[in-house]
Amino acid sequence: MSHPDYRVNLRPLGTPRGVSSLVGPHGVGASPGDKKSKSKTTRGKKKSIFETYMSKEDVSEGLKRGTLIQGVLRINPKKFHEAFIPSPDGDRDIFIDGVVARNRALNGDLVVVKLLPEEQWKVIKPESNDKETEGAYESDLPEELCGSQLPQQSLKGYNDSPDVIIEAQFDDSDSEDGHGNTQNALVDGVKKLSVCVQEKGKEDAGAPVIKDENTFTSQDSRVLPEKSLQRSAKVVYILEKKHSRAATGFLKLLADKNSELFRKYALFSPSDHRVPRIYVPLKDCPQDFVTRPKDYANTLFICRIMDWKEDSNFALGKDCIFTIDPSTARDLDDALSCKSLADGNFEVGVHIADVSYFVPEGSSLDKVAAERATSVYLVQKVVPMLPRLLCEELCSLNPMTDKLTFSVIWTLTPKGKILAEWFGRTIIRSCTKLSYEHAQSMIESPTRRIPERELPAISPEHTCDEVHRAVLNLHGVAKELRRQRFADGALRLDQLKLAFTLDHETGLPQGCHVYEYRDSNKLVEEFMLLANMAVAHKIHRAFPEQALLRRHPPPQTKMLNDLVEFCDQMGLPMDFSSAGALNKSLTEMFGDDKYSLARKEVLTNMCSRPMQMAVYFCSGALRDPAQFRHYALNVPLYTHFTSPIRRFADVLVHRLLASALGYRELPDVEPDSLQKQADHCNDRRMASKRVQELSTGLFFAILVRESGPLESEAMVMGVLNQAFDVLVLRYGVQKRVYCNMLPLRSHHFQKVGKKPELTLVWEPEDLEQEPVQQVITIFNLVEVVLQAEATALKYSAVLKRPGTEGLLDPQDQLGCGNHKEEQD
């Protein structure tokens, strides 16, 4: 989970253009006539390319004395070697010339600069306008460079020479004696593969840098008296790294197919040309990139600068992305990433399998998937929406293989506040497949180093500690997101859910347990919800009449009023005025003891009955935006984006998002037609849910038949005149207990005040004993026995006679869920 291994797992990024000294075969930083640089290259000794940053103490002192100046760095988007910071006195901006003077700072960073000697200041013609002497502000830039939309391809007219050249690791085998050849420019134990500092767009890679016609050294000023000087400076410290350190762009093959470089590298062209172009090793590109480069012409690749030391031309770029799913899951829809930023914030990514790439609209595959509309999860198997080749291999985000994804990436504060948001197609390589149990162990052991043997395989580029840190960071942010979500009025009604373990040979259930919803589940859910909400807003802004959204109507009035009346009768001060008020009542009314938790389960079950189903709809089919709302989440817009392998609605949403981002043409579908698709998805989803419930009931009945009778505590949910309903707490099932199935002498129903009450009189087991009375009221804890019926695969619940010993003590056996649960 950490940002780019986004394919390209861009390894070392190289030196940007604009270095002040020429670079030739003698090495970086050496002039062509510098013989020392040719003869004095030594191994094991690093030569600084950039100045070491000043200490915090010296910076603080310099700012106080006025010898240093701070400001936000702005890089000219049209002349990439030029950068500026505002002058404190409001005069002309201070000029910073070239990458070396910028000292690894990027656009938007808050930097501290030191003025250069006057003879090194920029000389400007008097007729130069302000735009040539000051950096462009964001408002001056085209929209696609301001973060709202990324261009779909790099600017034309750029040749294949990069501004950054990746270095290869030094290999002693280059020469027999291990010392190498000085012509290879073995500097710092690294072999330079190529050198170049020409202007972008210039064809001659060996040509020297040509200065801007408005720029002269101060020695020129004596012959150009009409010129004026612009103060120039160099960066000596970065106070705050405002730039995300992420570069987005496109890959293409080099033009010269006969060159050695062509066999080793591809060219990475950033969308924002204030970031340098890069040679990327082909081993870090998609496996079929060389043979099918056009397939990736419109695919956006991302990398992040991880480190950039003063003794290296290279910024280092990578991270780690991983999945968290049930241990048995094979269709991995989603992956997460989390990168710690220098300013204390996080860059968090949700990466969803790009199923729409593999399912062309109008194809036979598309028609079958649309008809199925959903995968159906039975206890013993999955009936997939898509062919297994797609859902378990090509689309599934299996670890250590390149996968096509749609990503939503945010810059988030530790408190979960969104500072920035980005959408786009990406290629990722998940570093590992974590189960919920793995992630939970990391959350529960924040300081313990988890042994590798306790975790699944992790790709060599990443470590267990790195994954552990990412999980903990995501957990911290998720807790804040969840806290804020419920503070804003969200509601969650958790229902007990059975999970089974099956015999590998017979397929019959060996045991079951109530699935536990833990912090690892909550972690994943929060970011899936965040992505779904973000995409809902994105597609609705782009297509107000054609967005496929998901709404949750308020509870049914009659049933809700009945529940309000029941709670009043029971003396329960529940607030049903809103989703948030109901959630607060359920959360704050009950304690943590066994009885209180059982009462909460029963009341939660009761509260779910008036709730309506959430449904898909086309935004153009409803005229009242108030009807768009999602009651339980308490948000104005919501959709499903995160599970396209198992839900066709998500595939439709992916296509809309692709159109909104310019990856494909605008959707040619009328609101009525899209609403019909939404209705079909709703029907199939409800049918799937019902079949899943029947499958669970069937397998539990088999378990009772094979392993029963089963005992459990139960809580009374409702009382009738001849029977009563219970929630069986150990297994999460609801059953009705009939009086005529019990050895009773008599039973009597009455209402005490408004509370229903059923009095049972048990037939004594010994004729010498007195009959035992038992009063059944709502919220009573009782003991029940589940037993198989003689015919068919059914089971019934009977009340255990008061005062009798347990018939058996069945051990809880672990089971596992089939697929990822998320709030509907």
Side-chain angles (χ1 to χ4, degrees):
M1 282 180 167
S2 284
H3 187 313
D5 241 19
Y6 279 174
R7 213 50 198 177
V8 230
N9 173 14
L10 288 187
R11 293 250 193 285
L13 306 186
T15 307
R17 65 171 292 289
V19 288
S20 56
S21 58
L22 293 177
V23 182
H26 314 286
V28 175
S31 64
D34 189 352
K35 296 181 181 179
K36 290 184 179 180
S37 66
K38 194 172 182 177
S39 59
K40 296 277 185 172
T41 300
T42 58
R43 298 167 112 191
K45 196 171 184 180
K46 297 270 186 178
K47 182 175 181 179
S48 291
I49 308 299
F50 301 99
E51 285 191 12
T52 302
Y53 293 131
M54 295 178 66
S55 67
K56 290 183 180 180
E57 294 76 13
D58 290 344
V59 167
S60 179
E61 185 63 27
L63 290 172
K64 289 178 182 177
R65 294 201 314 266
T67 57
L68 300 178
I69 302 170
Q70 76 175 50
V72 175
L73 184 73
R74 304 192 311 279
I75 301 175
N76 191 330
K78 296 181 180 178
K79 297 180 181 179
F80 314 116
H81 65 285
E82 295 184 350
F84 306 83
I85 68 165
S87 176
D89 57 11
D91 199 357
R92 177 175 287 160
D93 284 349
I94 297 171
F95 179 57
I96 300 169
D97 187 15
V99 171
V100 170
R102 288 208 296 267
N103 202 1
R104 296 158 285 166
L106 298 179
N107 190 64
D109 287 352
L110 181 61
V111 299
V112 175
V113 303
K114 181 178 181 180
L115 291 178
L116 297 174
E118 187 173 329
E119 59 269 19
Q120 296 181 33
W121 290 2
K122 182 178 180 179
V123 182
I124 306 161
K125 293 180 181 179
E127 63 268 21
S128 297
N129 59 38
D130 288 341
K131 290 286 185 180
E132 294 175 341
T133 60
E134 298 181 7
Y137 288 88
E138 287 294 326
S139 59
D140 300 323
L141 306 184
E143 181 183 13
E144 63 268 24
L145 295 182
C146 297
S148 59
Q149 181 180 356
L150 289 171
Q152 297 310 305
Q153 60 184 21
S154 56
L155 298 178
K156 294 181 180 179
Y158 281 62
N159 66 4
D160 283 337
S161 298
D163 310 291
V164 177
I165 299 168
I166 297 212
E167 58 188 8
Q169 294 299 316
F170 173 68
D171 185 354
D172 283 342
S173 63
D174 278 0
S175 62
E176 290 183 2
D177 62 7
H179 293 292
N181 188 303
T182 56
Q183 290 300 313
N184 286 329
L186 295 178
V187 181
D188 307 335
V190 174
K191 178 177 66 177
K192 301 297 173 188
L193 296 172
S194 172
V195 289
C196 148
V197 290
Q198 84 280 3
E199 291 282 352
K200 288 199 179 215
K202 294 290 186 346
E203 296 296 329
D204 184 3
V209 174
I210 299 175
K211 292 196 174 189
D212 185 280
E213 64 177 3
N214 291 328
T215 306
F216 295 80
T217 61
S218 63
Q219 284 88 339
D220 299 317
S221 63
R222 64 181 181 272
V223 296
L224 297 168
E226 72 277 14
K227 301 284 189 288
S228 61
L229 297 179
Q230 180 175 13
R231 289 186 297 174
S232 301
K234 62 182 179 181
V235 174
V236 295
Y237 193 75
I238 302 178
L239 280 174
E240 188 174 357
K241 292 181 179 178
K242 293 281 191 179
H243 192 282
S244 67
R245 266 55 190 169
T248 62
F250 300 87
L251 281 178
K252 65 177 181 177
L253 294 176
L254 301 182
D256 186 359
K257 296 183 178 180
N258 298 318
S259 69
E260 183 178 353
L261 289 176
F262 180 87
R263 295 188 291 272
K264 294 182 178 180
Y265 296 95
L267 185 70
F268 178 82
S269 296
S271 300
D272 183 346
H273 294 283
R274 290 169 293 187
V275 179
R277 292 183 294 164
I278 305 163
Y279 275 150
V280 179
L282 290 175
K283 64 183 179 66
D284 288 337
C285 297
Q287 293 180 354
D288 60 347
F289 175 72
V290 174
T291 56
R292 301 179 62 87
K294 291 184 179 179
D295 289 357
Y296 300 93
N298 292 319
T299 300
L300 189 66
F301 295 82
I302 308 175
C303 76
R304 167 170 293 286
I305 294 174
M306 301 292 294
D307 193 15
W308 199 348
K309 299 184 184 301
E310 67 266 13
D311 57 8
S312 174
N313 290 331
F314 303 84
L316 300 179
K318 70 169 185 178
D319 299 324
C320 75
I321 302 176
F322 50 82
T323 58
I324 304 178
D325 286 275
S327 57
T328 56
R330 291 184 292 183
D331 51 350
L332 312 182
D333 286 285
D334 55 272
L336 289 167
S337 63
C338 182
K339 166 62 185 168
S340 299
L341 304 179
D343 58 6
N345 296 320
F346 299 100
E347 185 171 271
V348 175
V350 169
H351 315 281
I352 307 299
D354 189 1
V355 175
S356 62
Y357 178 88
F358 295 96
V359 184
E361 188 171 7
S363 65
S364 297
L365 180 60
D366 180 47
K367 293 174 182 176
V368 172
E371 177 59 30
R372 292 190 174 192
T374 181
S375 295
V376 181
Y377 288 83
L378 307 176
V379 170
Q380 82 284 18
K381 68 175 182 179
V382 179
V383 181
M385 180 182 76
L386 297 170
R388 293 193 182 277
L389 177 63
L390 285 177
C391 62
E392 295 181 8
E393 295 183 39
L394 296 179
C395 296
S396 182
L397 305 184
N398 301 323
M400 291 177 254
T401 56
D402 294 341
K403 295 295 178 180
L404 304 182
T405 50
F406 250 120
S407 298
V408 185
I409 301 167
W410 303 274
T411 301
L412 296 171
T413 68
K415 293 292 185 181
K417 181 182 178 182
I418 297 175
L419 303 179
E421 186 176 72
W422 180 88
F423 303 84
R425 270 183 162 146
T426 52
I427 298 180
I428 70 165
R429 175 173 289 206
S430 171
C431 71
T432 190
K433 175 191 173 184
L434 296 180
S435 68
Y436 283 119
E437 290 75 21
H438 293 135
Q440 189 65 31
S441 67
M442 292 178 174
I443 292 170
E444 293 175 352
S445 307
T447 59
R448 181 175 78 94
R449 191 179 188 281
I450 299 177
E452 291 186 13
R453 66 179 180 275
E454 296 180 16
L455 296 173
I458 297 176
S459 63
E461 294 87 357
H462 306 284
T463 65
C464 295
D465 290 343
E466 189 178 355
V467 175
H468 195 169
R469 282 195 303 272
V471 170
L472 292 177
N473 289 336
L474 284 170
H475 172 58
V477 176
K479 285 197 300 183
E480 292 297 328
L481 288 172
R482 191 175 185 84
R483 180 193 61 76
Q484 188 59 52
R485 197 162 57 80
F486 286 110
D488 290 341
L491 165 69
R492 184 179 177 95
L493 297 175
D494 283 318
Q495 303 272 344
L496 296 176
K497 177 192 170 189
L498 266 184
F500 295 87
T501 53
L502 304 179
D503 185 281
H504 291 297
E505 294 182 359
T506 66
L508 295 177
Q510 293 178 316
C512 70
H513 77 298
V514 172
Y515 189 78
E516 187 178 1
Y517 189 76
R518 299 190 290 180
D519 285 339
S520 56
N521 303 79
K522 295 174 184 177
L523 181 160
V524 174
E525 182 190 41
E526 286 307 312
F527 291 109
M528 298 304 110
L529 290 173
L530 195 64
N532 286 336
M533 289 185 281
V535 170
H537 284 274
K538 184 71 174 178
I539 63 174
H540 186 251
R541 282 195 301 268
F543 311 113
E545 299 292 312
Q546 296 163 298
L548 183 70
L549 302 174
R550 187 164 178 81
R551 65 188 182 94
H552 184 209
Q556 298 178 33
T557 305
K558 171 66 169 64
M559 296 183 69
L560 185 64
N561 290 339
D562 291 344
L563 182 58
V564 171
E565 183 180 354
F566 166 80
C567 290
D568 289 341
Q569 292 173 358
M570 300 301 297
L572 297 172
M574 297 289 291
D575 185 351
F576 292 94
S577 61
S578 67
L582 175 55
N583 191 81
K584 186 177 182 181
S585 295
L586 289 171
T587 303
E588 297 181 355
M589 182 182 297
F590 302 102
D592 293 328
D593 59 284
K594 182 176 69 172
Y595 179 72
S596 295
L597 292 175
R599 281 183 42 165
K600 182 179 179 181
E601 292 292 349
V602 169
L603 197 56
T604 297
N605 187 281
M606 291 178 175
C607 290
S608 68
R609 294 176 183 175
M611 298 299 165
Q612 301 192 61
M613 294 287 291
V615 292
Y616 301 112
F617 72 101
C618 173
S619 55
L622 286 179
R623 293 303 170 192
D624 184 3
Q627 293 183 314
F628 291 14
R629 291 193 65 84
H630 195 290
Y631 172 80
L633 294 173
N634 195 31
V635 294
L637 294 175
Y638 189 66
T639 194
H640 273 169
F641 159 76
T642 54
S643 296
I645 292 178
R646 62 184 177 92
R647 293 188 305 227
F648 191 73
D650 299 52
V651 177
L652 296 175
V653 169
H654 277 227
R655 289 172 180 166
L656 287 167
L657 181 60
S659 296
L661 297 174
Y663 292 124
R664 52 173 280 160
E665 294 180 356
L666 300 182
D668 184 19
V669 59
E670 293 298 320
D672 288 346
S673 176
L674 188 57
Q675 184 59 48
K676 288 181 180 179
Q677 288 183 294
D679 292 338
H680 180 68
C681 288
N682 292 330
D683 293 341
R684 301 301 294 173
R685 184 173 174 84
M686 290 178 67
S688 171
K689 182 179 175 65
R690 179 59 181 152
V691 169
Q692 185 174 329
E693 292 169 350
L694 291 172
S695 174
T696 298
L698 175 63
F699 270 73
F700 188 66
I702 294 173
L703 183 68
V704 174
R705 185 191 67 184
E706 297 296 321
S707 306
L710 303 178
E711 288 188 8
S712 173
E713 279 190 312
M715 180 163 275
V716 178
M717 300 177 64
V719 177
L720 307 172
N721 59 355
Q722 300 278 344
F724 56 95
D725 296 326
V726 296
L727 176 65
V728 183
L729 298 174
R730 173 173 285 168
Y731 304 110
V733 297
Q734 298 176 43
K735 294 299 290 184
R736 178 161 289 181
V737 179
Y738 294 92
C739 292
N740 61 7
M741 295 288 291
L742 302 175
L744 300 178
R745 177 170 291 183
S746 64
H747 60 273
H748 174 66
F749 175 82
Q750 64 178 348
K751 281 195 174 182
V752 180
K754 293 183 179 181
K755 297 180 182 178
E757 185 177 283
L758 186 62
T759 302
L760 308 179
V761 181
W762 289 83
E763 192 72 54
E765 292 183 294
D766 191 328
L767 294 177
E768 297 181 358
Q769 294 178 338
E770 290 294 322
V772 176
Q773 282 196 5
Q774 185 176 6
V775 178
I776 304 297
T777 60
I778 295 174
F779 296 136
N780 271 171
L781 271 178
V782 297
E783 292 280 335
V784 297
V785 178
L786 302 178
Q787 56 191 24
E789 296 187 0
T791 59
L793 280 174
K794 293 184 178 179
Y795 67 96
S796 58
V798 296
L799 190 63
K800 190 173 150 186
R801 184 187 294 269
T804 57
E805 295 297 325
L807 298 176
L808 59 142
D809 185 20
Q811 295 182 349
D812 286 340
Q813 300 187 57
L814 294 180
C816 50
N818 303 67
H819 69 285
K820 185 167 296 180
E821 289 295 318
E822 63 185 85
Q823 190 158 351
D824 198 40

